[in-house]
Amino acid sequence: MNDSRSFNWQGWSVFGALLLLWECASRFNPDLQLYLPPVSQILGTLARLIVSGQIVTHLAITFTRFLEGYFLAAVIAVILGAVLGYFRFAHSLFETVIEFLRPMPSVAIIPVAVLLLGIGDSMIVAVTVYASLWPVLINTIDGVRHTERTLIDTGRTFGLSRRRLLWQVVLPAASPYIVTGLRVSLSIALILVTTGEMVAGSRGLGFFILDQERSMNSGNMYAGIILVAGLGYLLNRLFLLCEERAMKWRHGMIAREAV
Amino acid sequence: MRESRFNGVLFLIGLLLVWELVAQAELINPLIVPPLSRILRIFAELFWSGHIPLQILASMKRALLGYFLAAAVFIPLGISMGLSQTVYRLFEVVVEMLRPVPPPVMIPVALLFFGLEDEMKIFVIFFSCAWPILLNALDGARNVDRVLLNTARTFGLPQRKIIWNVILPASSPQIMTGLKVSLPIMLILVVISEMVGSTDGIGYFILDSQRRFRIAQMYAGMFALAILGYTLNQVFSLLYKLVMPWHVALMRLRDGS
């Protein structure tokens, strides 16, 4: 993004100044401390919560739910998207259903999920799957449909079976689209896991954060938020790393085309 | 294309019919899956009595306030970050630190400061719409055609005029993209924040109906929400065509050639 790769000291000093302002405002104003404890205190709380293991359990639970929901959604969406993108007839059947369901904000499904599955892991995972399904599904359909006819025809000429055509021609050609969908879904999945835990959960970081707010432990609440943000940041980084590895062949191709 | 539409609508109607029949035959617990006809009847009742429109109005007031506030703050910030390397470097770290926070997690913080008031939801929506709007405005301003800028400079346009007459129009397609992406996010966050802490609004209405076991009413609320989402999208596309007819024409031209 930035051509000068040097350390951004201006940015970090603005960030540091803001933290310092927060620290001072809170230290010299006892009224504010209830809502906004000093940064140093929050970091101390975070360290204590991690060492005591109290917050680690919540983190592990949230992370497990995220992984289950995200990967389940990815697998279902890619398979379904490939089928709907490849077979015109299937697409014509489901097109309207998809258009009908998509404008509804996915979180509205939470009450239905609570009704069907009660409160617990399966409800939260189901809601996460539902919400993170859409971007991958839509992108996969688009990607498969936009696969160049020449590629498919070439594959056919060489006598590839339908299954091999799908695996070795269509899916690789659609993969840039699929990856875009997967990236969008990543943050959606985290949003849905934490929301599910807040609305109807008894464990997990979302629950922990809201619960600490309700019992006016604002220090614990902020510590939880820092942890969730850290989780989101790490997941994003991990995704970019995997993407770069997996899509290396494509970067090479684009570079060659440009030449 | 016409035929595929026909297939799809037929299939949808078929699915809804199956729902109705399954529910009528009570194959699934009718408490959980009421017949479609009952849901639609209750929706009509709640719609004409003004109950659902009032809830939607309450939600939309909060949602749009947060949305426009975010647009008013983050479009100018994004443009200045895109134009000036100094401004970009000043804010980069703060933005990168705040961006990974999943927006619903800000709800407890907002609850702490604002309680159950409207300001709580407005803040949460403001926060969550901020990033797509900011990053798109930034990208748009950064990628303005150099030739355009240099031409304007050559003709001696003052900086203020360059921003208004060159940069803003040139980056407006991308600014609109940011606004478009933020629209569903806005709707999601208003629903979540009303579910977690509110006494009215469509999100509260749906969750409350479920807790009171008025299941048909819950589905009616979801139906209203889907219509709302669809309408918002349509209104946005319409505004897009009204505000930027030149861009629509340009895209059509590009697709045609």
Side-chain angles (χ1 to χ4, degrees), chain A residues 44-237:
Chain A
T45 312
L46 179 62
R48 209 167 44 248
L49 284 172
I50 290 176
V51 171
S52 75
Q54 193 189 344
I55 210 169
V56 180
T57 356
H58 288 293
L59 178 68
I61 289 168
T62 300
F63 189 55
T64 317
R65 285 168 177 164
F66 167 84
L67 285 182
E68 284 175 9
Y70 182 67
F71 282 108
L72 214 58
V75 170
I76 296 174
V78 169
I79 293 175
L80 203 63
V83 170
L84 291 185
Y86 201 69
F87 299 104
R88 285 274 146 90
F89 181 68
H91 185 257
S92 77
L93 284 186
F94 280 91
E95 193 186 9
T96 315
V97 178
I98 291 174
E99 272 173 37
F100 191 71
L101 282 175
R102 207 157 61 113
M104 191 187 64
S106 43
V107 284
I109 207 82
I110 292 179
V112 182
V114 170
L115 210 59
L116 290 175
L117 302 168
I119 52 174
D121 278 345
S122 50
M123 182 279 281
I124 292 171
V125 172
V127 168
T128 309
V129 170
Y130 176 81
S132 20
L133 202 72
W134 297 109
V136 186
L137 180 69
I138 305 287
N139 273 292
T140 308
I141 293 178
D142 260 12
V144 172
R145 283 174 73 106
H146 280 108
T147 306
E148 269 181 66
R149 289 308 308 181
T150 346
L151 285 180
I152 296 178
D153 289 341
T154 314
R156 282 227 180 96
T157 316
F158 279 103
L160 287 184
S161 65
R162 264 214 143 144
R163 217 187 38 184
R164 283 189 68 187
L165 201 65
L166 187 69
W167 276 107
Q168 298 185 337
V169 178
V170 177
L171 280 184
S175 59
Y177 287 84
I178 299 176
V179 168
T180 307
L182 285 173
R183 189 167 46 221
V184 175
S185 286
L186 193 74
S187 43
I188 294 185
L190 197 58
I191 288 180
L192 263 289
V193 172
T194 44
T195 306
E197 288 171 350
M198 281 203 272
V199 175
S202 52
R203 293 180 309 164
L205 277 179
F207 165 79
F208 176 82
I209 292 168
L210 189 63
D211 189 50
Q212 296 303 318
E213 186 271 327
R214 287 193 173 140
S215 37
M216 283 305 274
N217 284 329
S218 55
N220 287 2
M221 178 191 83
Y222 286 108
I225 291 176
I226 293 177
L227 215 56
V228 172
L231 183 64
Y233 181 78
L234 275 182
L235 286 172
N236 212 10
R237 268 291 137 109

Side-chain angles (χ1 to χ4, degrees), chain A residues 2 4 7-8 10-12 35 92-93 95-96 99 105 107-108 112 116 191 195 198-199 209 213 222 225 228, chain B residues 4-5 7-9 11 32 85 89 92-93 97 102 104-105 108-109 112-113 187 192 196 211 218 222 225:
Chain A
N2 202 343
S4 50
F7 179 70
N8 181 0
Q10 298 104 318
W12 281 100
Y35 302 99
S92 77
L93 284 186
E95 193 186 9
T96 315
E99 272 173 37
V107 284
V112 182
L116 290 175
I191 288 180
T195 306
M198 281 203 272
V199 175
I209 292 168
E213 186 271 327
Y222 286 108
I225 291 176
V228 172
Chain B
S4 95
R5 253 273 173 281
N7 274 346
V9 172
F11 186 65
I32 295 179
Q85 190 65 18
R89 287 178 75 94
E92 187 197 3
V93 177
M97 287 290 168
V105 171
V109 181
L112 205 57
F113 281 93
L187 207 56
I192 300 178
V196 175
R211 288 189 175 148
M218 174 190 87
M222 290 171 61
L225 200 57

Side-chain angles (χ1 to χ4, degrees), chain A residues 231-248:
Chain A
L231 183 64
Y233 181 78
L234 275 182
L235 286 172
N236 212 10
R237 268 291 137 109
L238 207 65
F239 185 91
L240 290 178
L241 209 72
C242 294
E243 184 192 342
E244 207 177 317
R245 285 250 166 128
M247 304 299 280
K248 219 172 204 164

Side-chain angles (χ1 to χ4, degrees), chain A residues 198, chain B residues 62-63 66-67 70 102-111 114-115 117-131 185-186 188-194:
Chain A
M198 281 203 272
Chain B
R62 299 159 182 156
Y67 181 75
V105 171
M106 289 310 270
I107 293 175
V109 181
L111 273 173
F114 303 113
E117 302 299 315
D118 277 358
E119 286 84 351
M120 182 279 259
K121 290 110 197 166
I122 295 171
F123 171 76
V124 172
I125 293 161
F126 172 77
F127 179 85
S128 53
C129 291
W131 313 123
I185 296 180
M186 166 197 98
I188 290 177
L189 265 293
V190 78
V191 171
I192 300 178
S193 60
E194 285 170 353

Side-chain angles (χ1 to χ4, degrees), chain B residues 192-222:
Chain B
I192 300 178
S193 60
E194 285 170 353
M195 282 182 174
V196 175
S198 184
T199 51
D200 62 346
I202 190 74
Y204 169 79
F205 176 81
I206 293 173
L207 191 63
D208 188 55
S209 305
Q210 185 256 318
R211 288 189 175 148
R212 289 164 195 257
F213 253 92
R214 294 187 179 152
I215 303 311
Q217 190 176 307
M218 174 190 87
Y219 283 110
M222 290 171 61

